[in-house]
Amino acid sequence: MDFLKSAVASAIAKGSSFPFSLSDRVDIGDSIWTLHNGTKRDDGSACSVFTFDLAANKSRAPLARNAIRKSRTLRHPGVIKVFDTIETETNLYIVTERVAPLEWQVKRRSLSEETTKWGLYGVSSTLKFINEDASSVHGAVRAASVYTSESGEWKLGGFDILSSMKEDDAIIYTYGNLVPDSHRYTPPEVVKGGWDVIKRHPLAAVDAYGLGILIFEVFNGHFSGGDQAGKTTNIPPSMQQSYKRLCTANPKLRLSPAHFVEQGKKHGGFFQTSLIRLTEDMESLGLKSDAEREEFINELDTLSDDFPEDFFKMKVLPELLKSVEFGGGGPKVLSATLKIGSKLSADEFNAKLTPVIVRLFSNPDRALRVCLLDNLPLMIDNLSQKVVNDKIFPPMTSGFTDVAPVVREQTVKAVLSVINKLSDRVINGELLKFLARTANDEQPGIRTNTTICLGRIAKNLSQGTRSKVLIAAFTRAIRDPFVHARNAGLLALSATIDVFTEEDCAGKILPAICPALLDKEKLIRDQANKTLDLYIQRVRKFGNTMADTILPQTTPAEPNKADTSGARIGTSSDKSWAGWAISSFTNKLAAADGEIEPTAASKSAETEATRSASVPRPAKSSPSTQLELPKETTPRPAAQPLGRSLSDRPVPVVQHEADEGDDVFDAWGAMDDDDNEDDSFSAAVASPKPSSPDPFANKPTAKPFDDGGEPDFAGWLAAKNQSKAKKPLPKGLSKVASTNTAPTKSTVAAAKPRTTTPAKTIDTKPKDEDEDDGWGAWD
């Protein structure tokens, strides 16, 4: 039946004429009211709705109407805040702030002693106001008349028989006994003489007795009857004496709520707690001096986690935010604010703290900025990625270039907190630019922290940026003069080994680590050895997976071809220190089939030695054929005989041999050019100067060595085209200064390769096998 009544009341409340809507019902035990959670239609905020069914409780209707009247007129912070009251033909409604029955926590015994004292202090102060300022008597003080608000504060309700003692027809005299469970909570003098007896006793005597019962309930969980009044079970020792005076049977000896508060506020009294002092000082926080504000914050820091979180969220936090943003609260107040804010849900944080934090990041006060950066880990989870990217990181970047080192250092440390909320574009662009700046900071600690920061955010960098940036940063850190910066670089390399390729490990990182093996600090040497071992193990592991060679397989030389030099310079089976080098050279000679062939007819050693490598080899025809070549063919130099000694053979035998030598020099880097000054091969191919008085003695007879000994075909062709008009001297010879006539015998003779005796005779004959051939170091 009660369910149907509640459903009907809810349906009526959902009508368009009501400024609220009802939801679930809240159990409040024995009461003339039914409590529902509700929502205000105008702004969607939460509220509570007390409903009274007139048809079902006609006898108690005067109590409900008295509660509505007193709720409208009685205003106090300790009283439930009323938004609206509505009366219909069937129901009465009191719309209040969202509250919950205190009895829930009392029955669960979930109240701490500190919170209980704080709540009792609020109720006692409210009763003091009702008794002294309003000259009224509540008449029904108990746990069922107290509610907790969203901020966790204890609010006094249950104004069913609240009466002013200035009224002769006060409702308490007539309807006091209609309150549910009145027989358990009624004072002993009222039980004996009725409610009229309160006129002859102190005004606060009834409420003082009810306050004593409330104290017993909140510390013990249940009150069964008057025989328990005054018992000190579970009552804090500091409160027991005053509690007993509240519950005394003689109303004239009872301690009033006002005196109870006064005794508790004495030095060392039971109401001298951190939470109560915080509540009193909070409202005047913006008006306090710096010393008083610091004392307040120190008091706030001492509060333990079992204090009501809702109170800090709803009451303390807004006041702290006002003090920080407008009252000059400073970083200490901000730290306390963010500590409380860390306990908010994401929606509450975004609604209450995010706008203030965004504005504070643009504040030029360095102390506030440093405090914000220090506390970023507490609030970053509640900040959205868009807010961090668009509103927090841009003003935060000014810290990278701030003149104060502490701001720069804290900004670098704060990167670790915001890195997961930054976009890839910001990380790989703007952020890396600022970290490159701090990596070269004048402060060694900032350089060290930058290296640590890069090592921690390595996984957030893009694939294309990661290797290039990290290798440059860490290898530079290894060379830093600050010992801890060097150590940070080595540790970062160890931690980020997986982000580098094996080629980078072997070619860039290992060479950078090696100098640290001989660092002057043992700390660096030890860490360098550990880091080196990690990278060597990885490179070796990768090397074991590589192919043996990438060179194409070559056909071995035919066995019937004799190796004339094998007996002298070694074979492939030679296992000496230089055997691999000699055998490779021998294999090249053996494989050069088609390039160097032995010839039966070879010219004398003197002619081969004196002929320049770049002058065309003379043919066996008449002198005229040497001056004018046939049109059909182009002469090529004859192959060098293989029978000559290796030391007598000119260097540019085959063109690709010279190219191969260039690659070797390139692979080994710059060589010493001084070694070529005493080279016997260079002397052998140099142009000798004739000793006879030749008209061409002072002229060069050949081009400089730059084409591997190939004939100058271009010069010969040019001479052929001009032979009809004139017959100039072949290219490579000196011009005759005075004549242009036809060639004479002397001229034709001069056109031949010169065989005159040079100033310095060079022995080009084959050496005997026993003589030194210039390879003595390799024998």
Side-chain angles (χ1 to χ4, degrees), residues 10 134 148 314 348 450 615 696 761:
S10 177
T148 58
M314 303 294 295
E348 291 174 336
T450 301
V615 176
F696 311 106
T761 302

Side-chain angles (χ1 to χ4, degrees), residues 246-295:
L246 289 174
C247 300
T248 184
N250 188 349
K252 294 182 179 180
L253 298 178
R254 285 177 193 154
L255 194 67
S256 68
H259 287 91
F260 181 73
V261 171
E262 183 180 349
Q263 289 190 1
K265 291 292 293 179
K266 288 182 179 179
H267 182 69
F270 47 84
F271 283 153
Q272 286 292 325
T273 65
S274 300
L275 189 56
I276 293 174
R277 286 194 297 269
L278 172 69
T279 305
E280 293 180 339
D281 296 341
M282 181 186 59
E283 297 180 357
S284 60
L285 180 60
L287 303 177
K288 292 182 179 297
S289 63
D290 293 340
E292 292 174 336
R293 187 183 295 113
E294 186 173 357
E295 182 180 357

Side-chain angles (χ1 to χ4, degrees), residues 99-120:
V99 292
L102 178 65
E103 282 187 312
W104 289 359
Q105 301 182 51
V106 170
K107 291 179 181 179
R108 293 195 303 262
R109 306 290 296 274
S110 61
L111 295 170
S112 65
E113 181 178 333
E114 190 80 14
T115 303
T116 302
K117 289 181 179 180
W118 171 65
L120 290 174

Side-chain angles (χ1 to χ4, degrees), residues 615-616 699-703 712 716 729-735 754:
V615 176
K699 302 295 183 179
T701 59
K703 285 182 63 177
D712 188 359
W716 288 352
L729 295 175
K731 186 176 178 65
L733 299 180
S734 301
K735 293 181 181 181
R754 298 166 60 165

Side-chain angles (χ1 to χ4, degrees), residues 203-224:
L203 183 145
V206 175
D207 291 339
Y209 185 81
L211 179 60
I213 293 175
L214 174 64
I215 293 172
F216 183 87
E217 281 185 298
V218 296
F219 281 110
N220 292 276
H222 179 71
F223 180 76
S224 59

